[in-house]
Amino acid sequence: MLKFIRFFLPPMLAGLCIALVIIWFSPNLKNALLPKLDVTGHYSSSHMSFADAVEKASPAVVTIFSESISSVPRYMRANTTQELGSGVLMSHDGYILTNYHVVNDADQIMVILTDGRRFDDVQVIGFDTITDLALLKIDAQHLPVIPIDNNFTPRVGDVVLAIGNPLNLGQTITQGVISATGKQTLTDSPYNNLLQMDAAVNVGNSGGALVNSNGVLVGITSAQFRTRYNIDIQGISFAVPYKLAKEVMQKLIQDGRVVRGYLGFRGAAVDSTGKEVTDLYTRIVGLRVSDLDPLGPAWQAGMQENDIIVKVAGEPVTNPQKTLKFIGNTRPGTRLEFQVYRGDELRTFTLVVAELETRAN
């Protein structure tokens, strides 16, 4: 025992002294390991909280009530349909993003701010059925605005908070993580890439804010994709990413509608052998043309089913979503050059971009 103490105790004491010196002169370690005083003056352990994020973001999330009145047939008493939703203040002068289905066919729209102010004279600037977004405007100044970071890119695993007014219970916060990005399967549209998350979203949350742990806007939540199948879904909800919502908002402000380019085909990603790509790690070399619209520009220019597009406007096709987004963002009337393989033959087509027609639901 004495031999053990003689040989091992001095190195152990020396190591302990070195560790204490490192902790004392390292602020991060010191703050993490030493106990802290709470507001009462007592020592307490640290805890995780999103209160600061909520405090920054929640004043910019509003409640929206819309009302549609049906007067047909005339001899019957008018039928009234009310819709509850949320919205996000995007500017100090009253621009509000929400879901289109919240204000669809509304005869009267009312906006209530978190401070209790009520606005009955609400203007619908425009809407986009593909992304299920609508832009409203209220006549006010110096309003609270949702925190925004244009450089932020959401990633799978990010902690997110959904802020809205579910079931008219008052402003409510739910928490979860982003489960997936770039989801298109629910919308059947290449122009809408949704965020999937597990934060609880219920009726009334539609159009509310999805923010990160710093209170920065990540997306606009939507309960539509939860309820459209009329089944009880747990742990799966969706939001329109902020960057896409911003693009839609800017187009609605500029044109009152979202103008998208249209060429009249769908495309499946393929690799260098022409095999369809089903995972994210295989190198993409082209898009196989399918579902040609006989009245669309691609058909009229001579493209055929199973042609493989390898270049658009001189740029190689390496990402199908990027290519389809480029086409969608091209103004109608623009001429685009396509390089296409038909079998082993490389062909060039020049297409005049048309406008994608959308209809209100």
Side-chain angles (χ1 to χ4, degrees), residues 61-64 83-88 97-99 101-102 161-174 197 199-210 219-224 226 237-239:
V61 181
V62 304
T63 295
I64 298 174
E83 189 78 33
L84 168 68
S86 302
V88 182
L97 270 178
T98 186
N99 283 157
H101 73 266
V102 171
L161 309 171
I163 308 176
N165 183 8
L167 309 175
N168 201 23
L169 296 173
Q171 192 172 89
T172 301
I173 316 298
T174 56
M197 57 182 172
V201 171
N202 295 287
V203 175
N205 273 113
S206 289
L210 184 72
I220 306 297
T221 59
S222 178
Q224 182 185 41
R226 177 185 175 87
S237 50
F238 297 91

Side-chain angles (χ1 to χ4, degrees), residues 104-245:
N104 181 22
D105 293 329
D107 296 301
Q108 179 68 39
I109 300 173
M110 179 174 63
V111 171
I112 302 177
L113 274 57
T114 54
D115 61 11
R117 282 182 288 174
R118 168 176 165 170
F119 296 85
D120 295 310
D121 186 15
V122 181
Q123 180 184 2
V124 179
I125 301 299
F127 57 83
D128 180 43
T129 58
I130 288 179
T131 55
D132 188 34
L133 290 175
L135 183 65
L136 311 180
K137 179 72 166 60
I138 57 176
D139 186 14
Q141 298 291 329
H142 311 297
L143 296 169
V145 176
I146 197 79
I148 288 171
D149 180 358
N150 290 311
N151 296 319
F152 176 76
T153 300
R155 299 185 302 167
V156 173
D158 283 349
V159 173
V160 286
L161 309 171
I163 308 176
N165 183 8
L167 309 175
N168 201 23
L169 296 173
Q171 192 172 89
T172 301
I173 316 298
T174 56
Q175 178 258 329
V177 297
I178 294 178
S179 309
T181 61
K183 303 293 286 188
Q184 294 179 334
T185 54
L186 291 179
T187 62
D188 195 30
S189 170
Y191 307 102
N192 193 9
N193 299 311
L194 299 175
L195 298 173
Q196 181 180 324
M197 57 182 172
D198 66 348
V201 171
N202 295 287
V203 175
N205 273 113
S206 289
L210 184 72
V211 302
N212 65 15
S213 56
N214 293 320
V216 172
L217 184 64
V218 175
I220 306 297
T221 59
S222 178
Q224 182 185 41
F225 304 109
R226 177 185 175 87
T227 59
R228 65 187 297 187
Y229 297 107
N230 197 29
I231 57 177
D232 185 24
I233 301 174
Q234 301 294 328
I236 300 177
S237 50
F238 297 91
V240 179
Y242 159 66
K243 290 183 179 179
L244 177 57

Side-chain angles (χ1 to χ4, degrees), residues 44-56:
S44 64
S45 59
S46 60
H47 65 282
M48 179 180 293
S49 173
F50 302 114
D52 290 341
V54 173
E55 186 176 355
K56 293 176 184 176

Side-chain angles (χ1 to χ4, degrees), residues 261-263 297 327 330-336 351-355:
Y262 176 71
L263 293 176
I327 295 170
T330 302
R331 299 288 295 186
T334 304
R335 300 172 71 88
L336 292 180
L351 279 63
V352 178
V353 179
E355 181 177 345

